[in-house]
Amino acid sequence: MADGDDLPKLDDPLDIPCLKPGAMEGLEPYIAAPEHQAKLGFPGELVPDWKERALAKMAELAEKDRAFQVYLDACVKCGACTDKCHYFLGTGDPKNMPVARQDLLRSVYRRYFTFAGKHFPKLVGARDLTEEVLHEWYSYYHQCSECRRCSVFCPYGIDTAEITMAAREILDSVGMGQKYSNEIIGKVKEIGNNLGLQPKALQATLEDLEEDIEDETGVSVRIPLDEKGADILLVTPSADFFAEPHIDGLIGYAKVFHEAGVSWTLSSYASEAANFGLFIGSYENMREIALRIRKAAQDLGVKRIIFGECGHAWRVAYSFLNTLAGPWDFLDPNYPVPQHILEFTWNEIQKGTLKFDKSKNDHIRLTYHDSCNVARASRMGQARRPVRDPAQCHQGGLQSLLRHARRHDPRKDAVLRRGRGAFDRRPDGAAQEGRVPADDRAATGDRRSRRDPHGRDLRHLQDAVFQGHAGLWL
């Protein structure tokens, strides 16, 4: 175990950057092409009556979504959220403070929907909606990842992500959609996944992965596609079919299911867990994507649905799936709908179907970073610990750098929670996230190096879990 002297020194995380007004002003993502907009039911370009449409959409959102209106009315500018946004910490642009980003929309809302704003606009900071303001929205509301960290610290519980989603929906409704998200949603509607991967290409990819597993382990592990009558439908992000290190995640799922002895299948019709409707704030598009999962489950006759590792996919599934695509009365009522692969893996550990060689982990020290909010946004934090424990190092080599940020002083807690506040990821990759890939990026979805703090390659950690009776290294 390293003594820690070779670990990089970090700046004081409580330092607040110097303000740099306008540092990110005018920075905009590519605007969606007309064909991308049309597939989602939005106008292809900025419409002539954009102002009227934008205000009508804002009024509609305020009427049907009480939370949206409350969030716009309740802020008292206490500043508790100010230094909680990684975009502000990284850029120093004051408009990236969560409260200031909210005010970009709140100021227009006050101008047209409150008595004071209509009659005394300067007194309450209200302003007219102009094309310049519209572009300001497009710039700064796409400098928000909807991580909701600021909401954790707001004494009024204002959810900045909800305001971001509303602003993006307003922009879409007047013809200013974002190319990346809207193009992806269109591919899901047409083909079934974000990558536009056709069923034949998907089948060939899965067959190649089966060969890779057998070459590596000597064990034949199937990755079935569109098999009717399977018990489990696995819905996983399409990156697992295509990109490194995400493929390691899919291989891990297959190994876990194989060792558990369950029947499962993927679906070419619903070959995408990610739901980018969340990112554009469109309930209608979120629902259409979710309904593909429902149809796949019904067509294949499965008994349960399990989601693979994708933070925002799980956020949508955990929080909205029953509302978007329920009821799920055709599934086995003995299992939650949906179920996370972590939950499945923990159940198998409890039943004794997954066994661990703890000594494989003794030299590893890693941290857990909740980059995709699976813990913070969807209550997976407590589940990670019991899944981690069975594969802990038997000699204490694996350490949690920080147990629970809540035990620390509140001001430090604000910093620690950038990464969930419980940096307790264990390195074997098998059970912590409910999957078996060792790579930390595959496990959390973040884009960090595939090496630990000491420069060691992490891919060999797939060998950390061993199933003796099958001879299968997970």
Side-chain angles (χ1 to χ4, degrees):
M1 173 62 66
D3 57 11
D5 293 338
D6 55 343
L7 296 179
K9 272 197 167 186
L10 300 177
D11 295 333
D12 184 351
L14 297 179
D15 285 345
I16 298 175
C18 296
L19 294 183
K20 301 175 183 177
M24 303 299 287
E25 188 173 354
L27 184 67
E28 298 181 352
Y30 291 113
I31 291 179
E35 58 267 27
H36 302 148
Q37 290 283 93
K39 291 176 182 178
L40 277 60
F42 300 130
E45 56 186 13
L46 189 63
V47 293
D49 59 339
W50 62 267
K51 183 175 181 178
E52 291 75 15
R53 288 201 190 190
L55 293 175
K57 175 58 74 170
M58 189 181 296
E60 176 191 331
L61 292 173
E63 181 179 353
K64 74 179 183 180
D65 186 350
R66 186 171 180 81
F68 172 65
Q69 184 176 357
V70 170
Y71 295 153
L72 292 177
D73 288 335
C75 180
V76 295
K77 307 293 193 299
C78 70
C81 66
T82 299
D83 61 343
K84 307 307 184 295
C85 178
H86 50 284
Y87 282 87
F88 169 64
L89 294 173
T91 67
D93 193 324
K95 289 183 181 177
N96 271 327
M97 296 178 184
V99 60
R101 191 186 294 116
Q102 295 168 24
D103 271 356
L104 299 179
L105 190 144
R106 182 180 287 116
S107 58
V108 174
Y109 166 80
R110 284 180 174 170
R111 180 69 179 94
Y112 296 97
F113 299 99
T114 68
F115 177 85
K118 290 177 181 178
H119 298 284
F120 312 103
K122 291 185 179 180
L123 189 64
V124 295
R127 60 176 179 164
D128 292 328
L129 179 57
T130 65
E131 193 163 343
E132 181 181 355
V133 169
L134 202 67
H135 280 276
E136 187 179 45
W137 286 1
Y138 191 77
S139 175
Y140 285 99
Y141 280 114
H142 285 104
Q143 296 179 54
C144 169
S145 64
E146 300 179 13
C147 74
R148 305 171 74 212
R149 182 170 180 262
C150 54
S151 305
V152 173
F153 299 94
C154 176
Y156 289 91
I158 295 172
D159 192 343
T160 302
E162 291 279 351
I163 297 177
T164 292
M165 292 167 66
R168 292 178 184 176
E169 185 172 9
I170 293 170
L171 289 166
D172 268 318
S173 71
V174 300
M176 288 186 66
Q178 189 230 46
K179 178 182 183 293
Y180 179 74
S181 294
N182 291 10
E183 183 178 5
I184 278 176
I185 295 172
K187 289 179 181 177
V188 175
K189 289 185 174 185
E190 284 188 344
I191 300 172
N193 58 72
N194 292 351
L195 296 176
L197 196 63
Q198 297 285 353
K200 288 185 178 179
L202 177 57
Q203 180 68 62
T205 298
L206 300 181
E207 290 173 356
D208 287 345
L209 292 179
E210 289 176 348
E211 293 177 4
D212 290 345
I213 296 173
E214 187 165 7
D215 289 344
E216 175 196 356
T217 66
V219 178
S220 177
V221 176
R222 297 190 62 239
I223 306 180
L225 180 67
D226 294 330
E227 291 200 358
K228 292 188 176 182
D231 288 339
I232 295 171
L233 169 62
L234 174 68
V235 186
T236 194
S238 55
D240 288 355
F241 308 133
F242 181 77
E244 287 281 357
H246 305 85
I247 284 177
D248 292 336
L250 179 58
I251 290 174
Y253 308 153
K255 291 177 178 180
V256 166
F257 288 140
H258 177 87
E259 292 301 309
V262 297
S263 63
W264 66 287
T265 186
L266 294 159
S267 165
S268 60
Y269 178 77
S271 49
E272 183 62 66
N275 193 325
F276 273 59
L278 176 75
F279 289 141
I280 67 171
S282 173
Y283 175 86
E284 292 76 14
N285 282 286
M286 278 175 58
R287 185 169 189 270
E288 192 169 342
I289 294 171
L291 286 172
R292 294 184 72 94
I293 298 174
R294 177 185 178 87
K295 185 177 187 302
Q298 289 178 317
D299 291 347
L300 295 172
V302 299
K303 297 178 181 178
R304 52 202 288 207
I305 299 173
I306 293 178
F307 273 72
E309 176 56 38
C310 176
H312 88 269
W314 180 244
R315 285 171 62 183
V316 174
Y318 176 85
S319 301
F320 306 122
L321 192 64
N322 286 291
T323 302
L324 293 170
W328 299 92
D329 48 6
F330 59 91
L331 297 177
D332 189 332
N334 293 313
Y335 301 100
V337 181
Q339 189 174 28
H340 195 278
I341 188 67
L342 171 63
E343 297 171 312
F344 174 85
T345 304
W346 173 229
N347 290 339
E348 297 306 311
I349 291 173
Q350 290 180 306
K351 291 192 296 185
T353 55
L354 298 180
K355 298 178 176 63
F356 302 89
D357 182 352
K358 300 180 182 181
S359 64
K360 296 286 183 180
N361 292 331
D362 284 344
H363 63 296
I364 300 300
R365 178 178 176 181
L366 290 180
T367 63
Y368 166 64
H369 176 68
D370 189 37
S371 57
C372 288
N373 306 167
V374 173
R376 180 164 67 245
S378 307
R379 300 184 182 182
M380 275 289 167
Q382 295 307 313
R384 294 176 186 276
R385 191 171 295 278
V387 169
R388 182 201 67 195
D389 289 343
Q392 282 272 26
C393 302
H394 70 295
Q395 296 174 355
L398 178 67
Q399 299 180 10
S400 295
L401 299 187
L402 298 168
R403 293 298 180 184
H404 286 288
R406 292 174 183 169
R407 297 178 184 173
H408 294 255
D409 131 335
R411 189 161 174 258
K412 291 183 179 179
D413 178 58
V415 177
L416 300 180
R417 290 188 70 152
R418 290 180 197 169
R420 165 69 179 103
F423 294 90
D424 59 2
R425 178 165 188 75
R426 64 157 178 73
D428 66 81
Q432 153 127 29
E433 291 248 11
R435 327 139 341 143
V436 191
D439 190 292
D440 192 55
R441 289 201 298 169
T444 63
D446 74 7
R447 298 176 180 274
R448 293 175 294 173
S449 169
R450 294 185 62 151
R451 294 180 176 273
D452 69 5
H454 314 296
R456 295 176 299 217
D457 196 320
L458 303 182
R459 284 171 289 187
H460 70 283
L461 298 182
Q462 293 180 53
D463 296 341
V465 183
F466 178 70
Q467 281 293 56
H469 70 276
L472 176 61
W473 291 94
L474 297 183

PDB file of all heavy atoms in Angstrom, residues 183-202:
ATOM      1  N   GLU A 183     -30.681  15.351 -31.816  1.00  0.00           N
ATOM      2  CA  GLU A 183     -30.312  14.360 -32.827  1.00  0.00           C
ATOM      3  C   GLU A 183     -30.348  12.951 -32.234  1.00  0.00           C
ATOM      4  O   GLU A 183     -30.820  11.998 -32.870  1.00  0.00           O
ATOM      5  CB  GLU A 183     -28.918  14.661 -33.376  1.00  0.00           C
ATOM      6  CG  GLU A 183     -28.478  13.724 -34.480  1.00  0.00           C
ATOM      7  CD  GLU A 183     -27.108  14.068 -35.031  1.00  0.00           C
ATOM      8  OE1 GLU A 183     -26.453  14.978 -34.484  1.00  0.00           O
ATOM      9  OE2 GLU A 183     -26.687  13.421 -36.015  1.00  0.00           O
ATOM     10  N   ILE A 184     -29.870  12.825 -31.002  1.00  0.00           N
ATOM     11  CA  ILE A 184     -29.858  11.531 -30.331  1.00  0.00           C
ATOM     12  C   ILE A 184     -31.277  11.019 -30.100  1.00  0.00           C
ATOM     13  O   ILE A 184     -31.587   9.847 -30.344  1.00  0.00           O
ATOM     14  CB  ILE A 184     -29.084  11.639 -29.006  1.00  0.00           C
ATOM     15  CG1 ILE A 184     -27.586  11.527 -29.280  1.00  0.00           C
ATOM     16  CG2 ILE A 184     -29.528  10.572 -28.009  1.00  0.00           C
ATOM     17  CD1 ILE A 184     -26.730  11.711 -28.054  1.00  0.00           C
ATOM     18  N   ILE A 185     -32.155  11.883 -29.626  1.00  0.00           N
ATOM     19  CA  ILE A 185     -33.538  11.463 -29.375  1.00  0.00           C
ATOM     20  C   ILE A 185     -34.200  10.996 -30.664  1.00  0.00           C
ATOM     21  O   ILE A 185     -34.942  10.005 -30.678  1.00  0.00           O
ATOM     22  CB  ILE A 185     -34.339  12.613 -28.727  1.00  0.00           C
ATOM     23  CG1 ILE A 185     -33.774  12.924 -27.338  1.00  0.00           C
ATOM     24  CG2 ILE A 185     -35.820  12.259 -28.621  1.00  0.00           C
ATOM     25  CD1 ILE A 185     -34.367  14.156 -26.692  1.00  0.00           C
ATOM     26  N   GLY A 186     -33.909  11.678 -31.750  1.00  0.00           N
ATOM     27  CA  GLY A 186     -34.448  11.257 -33.041  1.00  0.00           C
ATOM     28  C   GLY A 186     -33.978   9.863 -33.422  1.00  0.00           C
ATOM     29  O   GLY A 186     -34.755   9.060 -33.974  1.00  0.00           O
ATOM     30  N   LYS A 187     -32.718   9.529 -33.131  1.00  0.00           N
ATOM     31  CA  LYS A 187     -32.202   8.189 -33.444  1.00  0.00           C
ATOM     32  C   LYS A 187     -32.909   7.124 -32.606  1.00  0.00           C
ATOM     33  O   LYS A 187     -33.202   6.028 -33.100  1.00  0.00           O
ATOM     34  CB  LYS A 187     -30.695   8.137 -33.190  1.00  0.00           C
ATOM     35  CG  LYS A 187     -29.857   8.913 -34.191  1.00  0.00           C
ATOM     36  CD  LYS A 187     -28.376   8.831 -33.838  1.00  0.00           C
ATOM     37  CE  LYS A 187     -27.538   9.625 -34.816  1.00  0.00           C
ATOM     38  NZ  LYS A 187     -26.097   9.609 -34.451  1.00  0.00           N
ATOM     39  N   VAL A 188     -33.165   7.447 -31.339  1.00  0.00           N
ATOM     40  CA  VAL A 188     -33.865   6.486 -30.489  1.00  0.00           C
ATOM     41  C   VAL A 188     -35.258   6.216 -31.042  1.00  0.00           C
ATOM     42  O   VAL A 188     -35.724   5.067 -31.086  1.00  0.00           O
ATOM     43  CB  VAL A 188     -33.961   7.003 -29.040  1.00  0.00           C
ATOM     44  CG1 VAL A 188     -34.800   6.068 -28.189  1.00  0.00           C
ATOM     45  CG2 VAL A 188     -32.568   7.150 -28.435  1.00  0.00           C
ATOM     46  N   LYS A 189     -35.941   7.249 -31.489  1.00  0.00           N
ATOM     47  CA  LYS A 189     -37.295   7.081 -32.018  1.00  0.00           C
ATOM     48  C   LYS A 189     -37.304   6.256 -33.297  1.00  0.00           C
ATOM     49  O   LYS A 189     -38.212   5.450 -33.530  1.00  0.00           O
ATOM     50  CB  LYS A 189     -37.921   8.449 -32.290  1.00  0.00           C
ATOM     51  CG  LYS A 189     -38.275   9.236 -31.040  1.00  0.00           C
ATOM     52  CD  LYS A 189     -39.003  10.521 -31.421  1.00  0.00           C
ATOM     53  CE  LYS A 189     -39.488  11.255 -30.195  1.00  0.00           C
ATOM     54  NZ  LYS A 189     -40.307  12.435 -30.544  1.00  0.00           N
ATOM     55  N   GLU A 190     -36.296   6.425 -34.115  1.00  0.00           N
ATOM     56  CA  GLU A 190     -36.244   5.727 -35.406  1.00  0.00           C
ATOM     57  C   GLU A 190     -35.680   4.316 -35.289  1.00  0.00           C
ATOM     58  O   GLU A 190     -36.182   3.383 -35.929  1.00  0.00           O
ATOM     59  CB  GLU A 190     -35.385   6.527 -36.395  1.00  0.00           C
ATOM     60  CG  GLU A 190     -36.072   7.753 -36.960  1.00  0.00           C
ATOM     61  CD  GLU A 190     -35.251   8.385 -38.066  1.00  0.00           C
ATOM     62  OE1 GLU A 190     -34.043   8.059 -38.190  1.00  0.00           O
ATOM     63  OE2 GLU A 190     -35.804   9.204 -38.808  1.00  0.00           O
ATOM     64  N   ILE A 191     -34.631   4.156 -34.493  1.00  0.00           N
ATOM     65  CA  ILE A 191     -33.867   2.907 -34.499  1.00  0.00           C
ATOM     66  C   ILE A 191     -33.912   2.194 -33.155  1.00  0.00           C
ATOM     67  O   ILE A 191     -33.933   0.962 -33.095  1.00  0.00           O
ATOM     68  CB  ILE A 191     -32.411   3.183 -34.925  1.00  0.00           C
ATOM     69  CG1 ILE A 191     -32.387   3.782 -36.342  1.00  0.00           C
ATOM     70  CG2 ILE A 191     -31.579   1.915 -34.872  1.00  0.00           C
ATOM     71  CD1 ILE A 191     -31.031   4.274 -36.783  1.00  0.00           C
ATOM     72  N   GLY A 192     -33.911   2.968 -32.074  1.00  0.00           N
ATOM     73  CA  GLY A 192     -33.973   2.338 -30.756  1.00  0.00           C
ATOM     74  C   GLY A 192     -32.816   2.642 -29.838  1.00  0.00           C
ATOM     75  O   GLY A 192     -32.838   2.265 -28.670  1.00  0.00           O
ATOM     76  N   ASN A 193     -31.782   3.335 -30.341  1.00  0.00           N
ATOM     77  CA  ASN A 193     -30.658   3.669 -29.475  1.00  0.00           C
ATOM     78  C   ASN A 193     -29.982   4.953 -29.941  1.00  0.00           C
ATOM     79  O   ASN A 193     -30.160   5.397 -31.075  1.00  0.00           O
ATOM     80  CB  ASN A 193     -29.639   2.521 -29.412  1.00  0.00           C
ATOM     81  CG  ASN A 193     -29.106   2.141 -30.779  1.00  0.00           C
ATOM     82  OD1 ASN A 193     -28.335   2.877 -31.381  1.00  0.00           O
ATOM     83  ND2 ASN A 193     -29.537   0.988 -31.282  1.00  0.00           N
ATOM     84  N   ASN A 194     -29.208   5.547 -29.049  1.00  0.00           N
ATOM     85  CA  ASN A 194     -28.568   6.835 -29.313  1.00  0.00           C
ATOM     86  C   ASN A 194     -27.572   6.790 -30.458  1.00  0.00           C
ATOM     87  O   ASN A 194     -27.335   7.787 -31.137  1.00  0.00           O
ATOM     88  CB  ASN A 194     -27.839   7.332 -28.059  1.00  0.00           C
ATOM     89  CG  ASN A 194     -28.781   7.716 -26.947  1.00  0.00           C
ATOM     90  OD1 ASN A 194     -29.989   7.771 -27.137  1.00  0.00           O
ATOM     91  ND2 ASN A 194     -28.237   7.999 -25.769  1.00  0.00           N
ATOM     92  N   LEU A 195     -26.947   5.646 -30.655  1.00  0.00           N
ATOM     93  CA  LEU A 195     -25.888   5.535 -31.657  1.00  0.00           C
ATOM     94  C   LEU A 195     -26.418   5.294 -33.059  1.00  0.00           C
ATOM     95  O   LEU A 195     -25.666   5.372 -34.023  1.00  0.00           O
ATOM     96  CB  LEU A 195     -24.936   4.391 -31.281  1.00  0.00           C
ATOM     97  CG  LEU A 195     -24.149   4.558 -29.979  1.00  0.00           C
ATOM     98  CD1 LEU A 195     -23.327   3.313 -29.700  1.00  0.00           C
ATOM     99  CD2 LEU A 195     -23.255   5.782 -30.042  1.00  0.00           C
ATOM    100  N   GLY A 196     -27.701   4.971 -33.168  1.00  0.00           N
ATOM    101  CA  GLY A 196     -28.232   4.605 -34.476  1.00  0.00           C
ATOM    102  C   GLY A 196     -27.742   3.243 -34.924  1.00  0.00           C
ATOM    103  O   GLY A 196     -27.613   2.969 -36.121  1.00  0.00           O
ATOM    104  N   LEU A 197     -27.464   2.373 -33.959  1.00  0.00           N
ATOM    105  CA  LEU A 197     -26.931   1.039 -34.240  1.00  0.00           C
ATOM    106  C   LEU A 197     -28.072   0.118 -34.667  1.00  0.00           C
ATOM    107  O   LEU A 197     -28.984  -0.165 -33.889  1.00  0.00           O
ATOM    108  CB  LEU A 197     -26.248   0.495 -32.987  1.00  0.00           C
ATOM    109  CG  LEU A 197     -25.307  -0.696 -33.120  1.00  0.00           C
ATOM    110  CD1 LEU A 197     -24.109  -0.341 -33.995  1.00  0.00           C
ATOM    111  CD2 LEU A 197     -24.834  -1.156 -31.745  1.00  0.00           C
ATOM    112  N   GLN A 198     -28.015  -0.359 -35.903  1.00  0.00           N
ATOM    113  CA  GLN A 198     -29.077  -1.198 -36.450  1.00  0.00           C
ATOM    114  C   GLN A 198     -29.046  -2.594 -35.808  1.00  0.00           C
ATOM    115  O   GLN A 198     -28.000  -3.049 -35.334  1.00  0.00           O
ATOM    116  CB  GLN A 198     -28.913  -1.323 -37.972  1.00  0.00           C
ATOM    117  CG  GLN A 198     -29.048  -0.012 -38.723  1.00  0.00           C
ATOM    118  CD  GLN A 198     -30.484   0.477 -38.829  1.00  0.00           C
ATOM    119  OE1 GLN A 198     -31.419  -0.235 -38.450  1.00  0.00           O
ATOM    120  NE2 GLN A 198     -30.674   1.679 -39.351  1.00  0.00           N
ATOM    121  N   PRO A 199     -30.192  -3.308 -35.813  1.00  0.00           N
ATOM    122  CA  PRO A 199     -30.254  -4.625 -35.161  1.00  0.00           C
ATOM    123  C   PRO A 199     -29.187  -5.612 -35.633  1.00  0.00           C
ATOM    124  O   PRO A 199     -28.600  -6.331 -34.822  1.00  0.00           O
ATOM    125  CB  PRO A 199     -31.661  -5.113 -35.509  1.00  0.00           C
ATOM    126  CG  PRO A 199     -32.471  -3.856 -35.649  1.00  0.00           C
ATOM    127  CD  PRO A 199     -31.526  -2.866 -36.277  1.00  0.00           C
ATOM    128  N   LYS A 200     -28.910  -5.662 -36.938  1.00  0.00           N
ATOM    129  CA  LYS A 200     -27.907  -6.603 -37.430  1.00  0.00           C
ATOM    130  C   LYS A 200     -26.515  -6.264 -36.899  1.00  0.00           C
ATOM    131  O   LYS A 200     -25.729  -7.150 -36.544  1.00  0.00           O
ATOM    132  CB  LYS A 200     -27.906  -6.622 -38.960  1.00  0.00           C
ATOM    133  CG  LYS A 200     -29.128  -7.303 -39.573  1.00  0.00           C
ATOM    134  CD  LYS A 200     -29.005  -7.391 -41.079  1.00  0.00           C
ATOM    135  CE  LYS A 200     -30.202  -8.116 -41.697  1.00  0.00           C
ATOM    136  NZ  LYS A 200     -30.112  -8.202 -43.169  1.00  0.00           N
ATOM    137  N   ALA A 201     -26.207  -4.976 -36.873  1.00  0.00           N
ATOM    138  CA  ALA A 201     -24.912  -4.552 -36.344  1.00  0.00           C
ATOM    139  C   ALA A 201     -24.820  -4.845 -34.853  1.00  0.00           C
ATOM    140  O   ALA A 201     -23.769  -5.257 -34.342  1.00  0.00           O
ATOM    141  CB  ALA A 201     -24.706  -3.056 -36.600  1.00  0.00           C
ATOM    142  N   LEU A 202     -25.926  -4.661 -34.145  1.00  0.00           N
ATOM    143  CA  LEU A 202     -25.948  -4.955 -32.715  1.00  0.00           C
ATOM    144  C   LEU A 202     -25.727  -6.442 -32.470  1.00  0.00           C
ATOM    145  O   LEU A 202     -24.944  -6.829 -31.592  1.00  0.00           O
ATOM    146  CB  LEU A 202     -27.283  -4.500 -32.120  1.00  0.00           C
ATOM    147  CG  LEU A 202     -27.513  -4.795 -30.636  1.00  0.00           C
ATOM    148  CD1 LEU A 202     -26.410  -4.188 -29.787  1.00  0.00           C
ATOM    149  CD2 LEU A 202     -28.875  -4.272 -30.201  1.00  0.00           C
TER     150      LEU A 202
END
